[in-house]
Amino acid sequence: TNIPVLSGDQLPMFGFGSTRAFEIANNMWQMYNKSDLRVVSADHVRLRTASIRYQIPENLCKKAGLGNAYVKFEGNNLLLFASKKLRGQDPDQISLGGQTSPLLPSYSVSIDITF
């Protein structure tokens, strides 16, 4: 079924002469957490890091009195393609029972100048 049993009742345990009862869960929420109702495929594709570097042309560097000059743009955690059933959760983040937010993207620009 796709509807978990929300019951705190104990099941009888048979075999090996046991008369004990087997406790399914401490409460109905724990039973829900042990079901497969919330199982979603974590297959995903992520663009984790990308960078681009541009070298300033030599003739412009010489006019400005520079040896070399580079401009670099770098981005981290730029794209994530995952199942919509994850509802915004990040498949790479581990959480014990709660939702996790995806990692925020970060960007940096650097300039390298030699004289």
Side-chain angles (χ1 to χ4, degrees):
T1 181
N2 64 352
I3 302 170
V5 175
L6 298 176
S7 171
D9 295 344
Q10 295 183 345
L11 292 175
M13 202 158 140
F14 299 107
F16 303 110
S18 175
T19 57
R20 297 182 307 153
F22 176 72
E23 187 174 313
I24 301 169
N26 291 328
N27 57 50
M28 65 181 180
W29 300 112
Q30 192 178 44
M31 175 62 80
Y32 181 73
N33 285 336
K34 291 181 179 179
S35 74
D36 65 352
L37 183 64
R38 298 189 300 178
V39 175
V40 176
S41 172
D43 294 343
H44 65 283
V45 174
R46 178 188 302 275
L47 178 58
R48 193 171 303 275
T49 303
S51 64
I52 186 167
R53 180 177 153 182
Y54 176 73
Q55 181 176 357
I56 308 295
E58 192 175 325
N59 60 348
L60 291 177
C61 289
K62 286 186 181 182
K63 286 182 185 178
L66 305 173
N68 286 317
Y70 304 95
V71 178
K72 182 180 177 182
F73 174 79
E74 186 172 10
N76 294 310
N77 301 313
L78 300 175
L79 295 171
L80 173 64
F81 299 101
S83 172
K84 291 183 182 184
K85 292 180 181 180
L86 285 171
R87 297 182 185 158
Q89 295 180 71
D90 191 328
D92 284 338
Q93 299 296 316
I94 297 173
S95 172
L96 299 175
Q99 278 195 338
T100 56
S101 298
L103 297 170
L104 295 175
S106 62
Y107 308 96
S108 65
V109 176
S110 59
I111 301 171
D112 182 11
I113 299 173
T114 58
F115 295 94

